[in-house]
């Protein structure tokens, strides 16, 4: 049987993502994927290297979609004339929350993957995708007129990203689903409020803590 | 053989923590623990209920030690006359970073546990331990004189906790170990600097973003 490589790869990726969504990397078994895709185990390895490479390929599609969700949120704000960094950062955080809710299992598997042994050797196309996400936040900070030099602006963008990420991933502890979402939104709100007010105060030389 | 219940429980907890440290919850097998502790599988279930309960008991000892590390950092600052909230929050974050580095595997397993199905039914003694950790940060904010009402102070404490947690757990992506620690410290530093400057500016009515 002649196989269309691209078509098979797309099918294998979709199956792999569903397995990751359902049960994390423990579910990512070559034999299961091969059976569901109707191809041999060998074709999967030919297409993706090993299972870590396949997981990384799924992660890449997730990061691409998260980047697209961020870009869409920015376009939407542009259209509605939302320019204040505080509102923009909260809208971006909300886009992230919605994405994590939609892909809870696969996103959790991505985080576990990034903490695992394979993470040390991320190829450049992987870290470039993370940089694309940070760049969206960096642009908001630039537009905010905080007068940050590029190094400090990028550091602030990564710190905001990690902080929102921490709020979203630890916000579910000890709370029901609805209460958890309210708690997450309230934490994001006070974080962004204080962070942007702090950037302003530091720019204006008003911060005692400097 | 007559067994001292407390002694066996302590031994089982230590073995369980080591297994979690080495390989996460997949390693937490009743038969392995029973063999290493020299007791029957039945005694383990008698002592701890099921494996989720045992995992929760290990988590409790981890949270207790983290709380102790936080309290020690506070006593140390008291002794050295460190009163500025910015310095105190950074010292607390450093205590957290050191704790996570010392218990990387078991802490990662705790986070996975808290995200898992058992987390929805945390008993009160579990969430009380989390509240104890938040209370340390809340005290620093109180001492900082930001004029926050208790609800907003506690929300700010939880947001700071989650943010630092996010920075620590996602800071390792795409970086070597030494570079990762520098990146984590730099992100914590800008977070705490901006957050505390923001609290001051908001208190003083200087924040445009209000």
């Amino acid at each position: 049987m002649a196989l269309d490589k691209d078509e098979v790869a797309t099918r294998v990726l979709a199956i792999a993502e569903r397995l990751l969504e359902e049960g994390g990397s423990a579910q990512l078994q070559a034999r299961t994927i091969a059976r569901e895709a109707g191809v041999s185990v060998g074709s999967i390895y030919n297409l993706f290297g090993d299972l870590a490479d396949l997981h990384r390929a799924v992660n890449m599609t997730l990061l691409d979609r998260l980047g697209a969700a961020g870009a869409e949120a920015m376009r939407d704000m542009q259209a509605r004339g939302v320019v204040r960094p505080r509102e923009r950062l909260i809208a971006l955080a909300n886009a992230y929350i919605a994405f994590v809710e939609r892909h809870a299992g696969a996103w959790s598997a991505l985080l576990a993957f990034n903490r695992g042994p394979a993470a040390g050797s991320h190829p450049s196309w992987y870290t470039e995708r993370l940089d694309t996400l940070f760049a969206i936040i960096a642009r908001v900070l630039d537009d905010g007129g905080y007068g940050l030099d590029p190094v400090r602006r990028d550091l602030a963008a990564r710190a905001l990203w990690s902080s929102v990420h921490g709020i979203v991933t630890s916000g579910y502890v000890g709370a029901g689903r609805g209460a958890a979402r309210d708690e997450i939104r309230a934490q994001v709100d006070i974080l962004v409020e204080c962070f942007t007010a702090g950037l302003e105060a530091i720019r204006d030389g008003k911060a005692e803590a400097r």
Side-chain angles (χ1 to χ4, degrees), chain A:
Chain A
M1 184 168 96
L3 293 171
D4 177 333
K5 260 191 153 185
D6 284 351
E7 193 274 324
V8 173
T10 306
R11 199 149 25 113
V12 165
L13 275 175
I15 293 164
E17 183 180 332
R18 189 172 48 71
L19 293 172
L20 288 165
E21 182 66 31
E22 286 168 5
S25 59
Q27 290 299 106
L28 200 65
Q29 311 265 1
R31 268 188 300 179
T32 311
I33 300 165
R35 193 179 57 236
E36 295 197 18
V39 298
S40 70
V41 169
S43 339
I44 293 170
Y45 289 121
N46 281 338
L47 279 166
F48 287 101
D50 61 17
L51 287 175
D53 293 325
L54 174 57
H55 194 166
R56 197 183 273 112
V58 172
N59 291 348
M60 188 183 70
T61 70
L62 286 166
L63 292 172
D64 280 343
R65 274 177 282 164
L66 179 55
E72 195 195 319
M74 290 294 284
R75 275 195 304 275
D76 175 59
M77 285 185 276
Q78 202 73 40
R80 290 189 296 115
V82 176
V83 291
R84 287 172 63 204
R86 184 174 161 194
E87 282 175 73
R88 284 182 158 192
L89 291 172
I90 287 174
L92 286 175
N94 285 339
Y96 181 59
I97 293 169
F99 182 86
V100 172
E101 287 183 347
R102 221 165 31 239
H103 307 284
W107 190 247
S108 182
L110 174 146
L111 297 174
F113 181 88
N114 283 349
R115 279 195 302 272
S121 55
H122 278 321
S124 59
W125 53 256
Y126 194 84
T127 51
E128 274 161 19
R129 263 149 183 103
L130 291 171
D131 288 342
T132 303
L133 295 170
F134 299 147
I136 297 175
I137 304 170
R139 215 178 82 203
V140 173
L141 295 177
D142 262 345
D143 291 349
Y146 298 117
L148 301 167
D149 67 65
V151 171
R152 196 164 149 83
R153 175 204 60 197
D154 290 347
L155 176 64
R158 293 195 300 276
L160 276 168
W161 163 272
S162 304
S163 296
V164 168
H165 162 69
I167 289 170
V168 172
T169 53
S170 66
Y172 286 97
V173 174
R177 192 83 186 198
R181 192 181 293 138
D182 291 346
E183 170 69 15
I184 288 171
R185 285 183 195 272
Q187 284 190 27
V188 165
D189 201 56
I190 200 168
L191 166 75
V192 170
E193 179 189 1
C194 291
F195 203 100
T196 52
L199 287 173
E200 278 175 19
I202 291 164
R203 175 198 61 197
D204 299 340
K206 288 178 187 161
E208 295 165 29
R210 273 300 265 184

